[in-house]
Amino acid sequence: MFQPPTFTRGSIGSPAEATVITTVLTRGPISRVDIARMTGLSQAAVTKAARPFIDAGYIEELPNRERTAGAGRPASPLAFRADREFFVGIKITSDELIGVVTDLRAQILHSRHRTLGSHVFDHVAAQIVDLVGELLGHDPAYRERTHCMGVALSGDVDRASGTVRYSPFIGWKDVELAAHLTRATGLITTLENDVKALTVAEQWFGEGVDTATFALVTVGAGIGCGLVVGGQVVGGAYGVAGEIGHVPVADGGPPCHCGGRGCVEAIASTEAIVAASRRAAGRENLTMDDAVALARGGHEGVREVFSRAGHAIGLGLAAMVNLVGPERVVVSGEGVANYDLFEEQIRQTFVAQAFAAAAKCPLSIRPLPFEAWARGAAAVAVQTLFTL
């Protein structure tokens, strides 16, 4: 019979526990010897930190597969039971909700989409509650073993208080969303900026697992950037660190919704590309798909729009790499599907503007399904549960 959850937010009691638990979660199966080697803890400290989680059924000891170096005893690797607990992740966009159920390793088990007919808070909150009910109703185990939820959306989000300070795509300011959803769903809710949530998923379960400093840049409706420095996601004193979308790269350029001019996002976001392509093609109803088709078909004016967008992104990437010095940069987002139209300009501009050896920083291009945004929100909930 399934045990009720023993650990809730704030249950991790020491840095050693946090280190051991996150190491097993992100790198397991892994032996105590390897954990000790990686973390600098003694094997006794590793065993002490892992024991409560083994007893509660979160961690299991796998059958002996190898012998510890020089000890003459078989090693029993430690691994998280991925189905010990489930998590809900919700991504709020301007026109829909994307919801997923994941396991402890943030692997998507079930997903649903729901159209938003309004940005009014009461409507959106009610739709989220209904979506959570649908997700958990898919499998009795989900309802029984789900206690935490992550919610992600674009904009200025205060994770500590669970408040949306400003979200331009849905027009919210100073909305206390997390507390409301916790009361309405019974799930402990963590709120995070969507790009930072994706960064957490990458840090714990993707390319960032063995990287102390890296950046995740998203290209699409907005231009976002999440930064990990010294193994920690950087929010900054005002919670907006990494906003390369609002780095000015064109003096006197087009106005941006942030109030500035010439921002990367004002030139390279989906909305900016569509607006510029309409002017270039002389077609008022042109869509992004139309713009892509024209550019790939050789329309010089529209191709130049994508080239300018690539130049702006390359400048933003170079500025970020020069300032932060990440080991690698992952470029993702829905706009990556059209990456062929501005890849050359991005790379040329980046190499030209990155300082000295920083130009060698690898750019890893990864398409991003929409469900990955919701997965990022769930990863934030996982992280919240297992960190100090």
Side-chain angles (χ1 to χ4, degrees), residues 68-95:
T68 57
R73 295 182 303 165
S76 299
L78 301 179
F80 255 81
R81 285 181 53 203
D83 64 349
R84 176 60 175 82
E85 193 159 343
F86 302 111
F87 297 80
V88 170
I90 302 290
K91 156 69 170 171
I92 304 173
T93 76
S94 61
D95 55 8

Side-chain angles (χ1 to χ4, degrees), residues 19-190:
T19 298
V20 171
I21 297 315
T22 55
T23 300
V24 176
L25 181 61
T26 60
R27 294 175 171 86
I30 184 171
S31 71
R32 291 173 175 83
V33 174
D34 288 335
I35 296 172
R37 184 183 304 119
M38 292 176 62
T39 64
L41 297 170
S42 68
Q43 289 188 53
V46 171
T47 296
K48 179 180 179 182
R51 176 52 56 189
F53 290 84
I54 294 173
D55 293 342
Y58 283 89
I59 293 177
E60 59 183 338
E61 297 178 279
L62 300 182
N64 299 331
R65 296 189 302 185
E66 59 184 31
R67 293 185 178 273
T68 57
R73 295 182 303 165
S76 299
L78 301 179
F80 255 81
R81 285 181 53 203
D83 64 349
R84 176 60 175 82
E85 193 159 343
F86 302 111
F87 297 80
V88 170
I90 302 290
K91 156 69 170 171
I92 304 173
T93 76
S94 61
D95 55 8
E96 71 170 344
L97 301 174
I98 305 162
V100 299
V101 176
T102 77
D103 62 19
L104 270 163
R105 293 184 55 79
Q107 297 304 302
I108 296 174
L109 305 174
H110 184 60
S111 65
R112 285 180 181 265
H113 291 233
R114 178 174 284 232
T115 301
L116 283 179
S118 167
H119 292 164
V120 173
F121 172 77
D122 287 346
H123 171 77
V124 176
Q127 292 298 305
I128 292 174
V129 173
D130 287 349
L131 180 56
V132 170
E134 289 182 11
L135 289 165
L136 298 184
H138 181 73
D139 188 321
Y142 295 165
R143 192 172 296 280
E144 179 187 5
R145 306 184 199 177
T146 303
H147 308 92
C148 299
M149 172 170 67
V151 177
L153 72 165
S154 177
D156 181 3
V157 172
D158 183 357
R159 176 169 168 173
S161 67
T163 301
V164 181
R165 291 190 289 220
Y166 171 56
S167 183
F169 296 113
I170 56 177
W172 286 0
K173 289 186 177 181
D174 299 323
V175 173
E176 296 180 356
L177 180 61
H180 177 89
L181 292 177
T182 295
R183 290 191 299 268
T185 66
L187 301 179
I188 299 171
T189 302
T190 303

Side-chain angles (χ1 to χ4, degrees), residues 193-203 216 218 368 372-373 376-377:
N193 167 270
D194 54 359
V195 178
K196 287 186 173 64
L198 273 179
T199 305
V200 168
E202 198 69 30
Q203 178 191 18
L216 173 74
T218 57
L368 179 74
W373 293 97

